[in-house]
Amino acid sequence: MNVVVIGAQWGDEGKGKIVDYLSAQAGTVLRFSGGANAGHTIVDGDTTYKLHLVPSGIIYPETQVILGSGMVIDPEALFAELDGLEEQGIRWRGRVLVSDRAHLVLPSHRQEDVARDERRSNPIGTTGRGIGVAYAHKAYREGVRIADLEWDEHLATLSGEDQDFLRHWKDRLQELSIDVATYMHDHESTSGENVLLEGAQGALLDLDLGTYPYVSSGVSSAAGALNGSGLGMNRIDHVLGVFKAYSTRVGHGPFPSEIDGTNQNVLEEHIRETGREYGVTTGRPRRVGYLDLVALRYACRTNGIDSLALTHLDVYDDLEDLRTCIAYETDQETLDYFPASIPLLRQARPVTKRLPGWRTPIGEIRNYEDLPREAREYVEFIEQYAGVPVSIVSLGYKREQTIVRTPVWGELP
């Protein structure tokens, strides 16, 4: 069975934990897009793992992990991450593979990334890691893939610094390199194991479907799983969208449900601190908003999401009531859809629905029926609005703080 897991908001939805949880039943986990600007946090017992490039399934000792064709990979960041995992007791050698069609992030890309964002009249808020520039050079047909490391004529067009950089990492990269389409076909034909395809960022940051130009440069929608893995569209069995009980966003760009800090600063601070809403990669505080159901429904429709995983529900434990965004009010009209227009999104004000809170801790509850009635009503209101069932409810960072209502793999982990 092949399952795609994507973020259904602006990233940082808790995908890492959900992928880690589902990886217990997966033989292979492949990340299909993005670069080292992504950040996933995995909590296993008393140990916390912070991942940027390596797929979340690496924590399981028998799981094969693959960096797919849609990724842009900084070799220096990759091997630093692998060395760090090894120091934490994770044996990765022989378990980490990289598609030979994946592009490489070069020193010149990082330099250009910072310089370009400084020159923009409307800065994107890039992490400065060269991700967007690497994707741009890929589109220019000037990029360097792992498969190109033996193409001397092409490498000769690069700067001396970039050539030296690639020479340093060439052997280590080639040791991990595979033809991912052949590998996936052969593996699927012979093993019969479950395969999990892991996205980066979120659907609302997708280059085509997101709030362009305030988006990532890669394909963070479910469609990216096909190119990134070499699988055909008829090989995908289930798309799982991960979202938080509220909304967050990092960097610039429209955020219609953002909490008004002038009169809701206590709520904003509560969510940020309780939910640890700081970037794994940058440490930057995330912008906080009410759960945007308009955007969530849009993500479900445009990605063919079959079921949802709700995370961070426990962040609301202490609140008397909570609000969700069910429409956008603009100067001209009220919208119940997610528009492409940036000016329209910027002027949009959230139309909210108030729901009662539960005022009790839920982190130790293991059965959905045991959740407070108000928490269940919140989940079921989301399902009704989005038109998609919530199959997983996460109540904390630990693996065991997970309620599975409908098994994604067909049976409970």
Side-chain angles (χ1 to χ4, degrees):
M1 186 174 182
N2 299 324
V3 171
V4 177
V5 178
I6 63 166
Q9 296 170 309
W10 280 280
D12 310 309
E13 301 96 345
K15 294 184 297 297
K17 178 200 168 171
I18 300 301
V19 170
D20 171 68
Y21 185 82
L22 294 175
S23 294
Q25 289 185 286
T28 298
V29 177
L30 180 147
R31 181 171 154 196
F32 59 81
S33 66
N37 55 340
H40 291 164
T41 300
I42 306 296
V43 179
D44 181 13
D46 296 328
T47 306
T48 298
Y49 303 93
K50 294 188 176 183
L51 306 175
H52 302 278
L53 282 163
V54 180
S56 302
I58 190 65
I59 310 304
Y60 288 91
E62 304 300 322
T63 301
Q64 191 82 54
V65 301
I66 302 174
L67 283 69
S69 302
M71 293 187 66
V72 289
I73 299 168
D74 183 333
E76 187 174 26
L78 172 62
F79 289 108
E81 187 171 326
L82 291 173
D83 290 345
L85 286 169
E86 198 161 42
E87 291 174 3
Q88 290 185 284
I90 301 296
R91 296 184 178 182
W92 61 266
R93 298 177 191 277
R95 298 174 48 224
V96 176
L97 302 173
V98 183
S99 169
D100 60 4
R101 296 178 186 272
H103 279 246
L104 297 171
V105 178
L106 307 177
S108 61
H109 295 160
R110 294 195 294 265
Q111 297 159 12
E112 184 179 343
D113 196 2
V114 174
R116 286 182 66 85
D117 210 46
E118 288 176 348
R119 293 197 302 267
R120 285 189 175 103
S121 57
N122 293 306
I124 301 298
T126 173
T127 60
R129 294 173 181 265
I131 310 303
V133 173
Y135 275 118
H137 282 268
K138 176 180 178 178
Y140 294 154
R141 277 96 21 122
E142 296 173 352
V144 178
R145 306 169 302 164
I146 292 175
D148 300 330
L149 291 174
E150 297 288 354
W151 188 7
D152 293 338
E153 182 182 6
H154 182 46
L155 299 183
T157 65
L158 305 177
S159 70
E161 181 184 14
D162 285 347
Q163 290 185 51
D164 291 342
F165 178 79
L166 292 175
R167 273 193 291 269
H168 179 77
W169 297 109
K170 175 181 175 180
D171 291 342
R172 295 189 72 181
L173 286 168
Q174 290 182 323
E175 287 174 2
L176 308 181
S177 174
I178 60 166
D179 182 302
V180 73
T182 300
Y183 177 93
M184 296 296 285
H185 173 79
D186 292 347
H187 191 70
E188 187 179 35
S189 301
T190 59
S191 73
E193 292 179 330
N194 292 327
V195 175
L196 195 154
L197 307 171
E198 174 187 1
Q201 282 86 40
L204 301 178
L205 292 175
D206 181 79
L207 186 60
D208 292 305
L209 299 177
T211 50
Y212 185 89
Y214 301 97
V215 293
S216 65
S217 300
V219 180
S220 52
S221 64
L226 303 178
N227 285 343
S229 66
L231 292 172
M233 65 178 64
N234 63 337
R235 306 310 304 155
I236 302 303
D237 298 297
H238 191 93
V239 179
L240 178 71
V242 184
F243 74 106
K244 285 187 289 207
Y246 47 91
S247 300
T248 64
R249 179 163 194 166
V250 171
H252 304 286
F255 188 14
S257 72
E258 188 165 15
I259 293 172
D260 182 357
T262 61
N263 55 25
Q264 293 287 340
N265 57 313
V266 174
L267 175 61
E268 179 184 15
E269 192 66 15
H270 169 80
I271 292 174
R272 181 176 292 117
E273 295 305 319
T274 307
R276 307 183 203 178
E277 295 300 344
Y278 295 88
V280 176
T281 301
T282 64
R284 291 186 293 188
R286 296 171 184 145
R287 298 159 65 190
V288 175
Y290 308 113
L291 173 60
D292 188 336
L293 290 176
V294 181
L296 179 64
R297 183 172 61 187
Y298 168 78
C300 290
R301 290 174 174 176
T302 54
N303 287 274
I305 290 175
D306 295 295
S307 72
L308 291 162
L310 167 60
T311 66
H312 293 234
L313 186 61
D314 55 302
V315 170
Y316 281 152
D317 283 355
D318 297 330
L319 301 185
E320 292 186 7
D321 53 41
L322 46 118
R323 287 196 278 171
T324 63
C325 172
I326 58 171
Y328 304 145
E329 183 182 13
T330 71
D331 295 341
Q332 295 79 32
E333 59 183 326
T334 299
L335 305 176
D336 63 355
Y337 68 94
F338 191 76
S341 167
I342 296 300
L344 199 57
L345 282 169
R346 278 180 168 160
Q347 68 171 257
R349 299 173 294 276
V351 177
T352 62
K353 178 177 177 61
R354 190 180 298 271
L355 294 165
W358 41 93
R359 297 302 302 272
T360 187
I362 61 175
E364 302 306 315
I365 294 175
R366 297 295 176 263
N367 297 301
Y368 181 75
E369 294 74 17
D370 295 333
L371 286 172
R373 174 179 52 82
E374 295 84 357
R376 285 183 278 114
E377 287 177 349
Y378 184 62
V379 173
E380 289 151 22
F381 179 76
I382 294 168
E383 290 180 312
Q384 181 182 14
Y385 190 102
V388 176
V390 174
S391 59
I392 297 174
V393 180
S394 173
L395 308 176
Y397 291 90
K398 298 178 181 178
R399 285 177 183 164
E400 60 269 22
Q401 292 178 299
T402 308
I403 295 173
V404 179
R405 299 176 69 201
T406 306
V408 173
W409 296 121
E411 58 183 75
L412 289 173

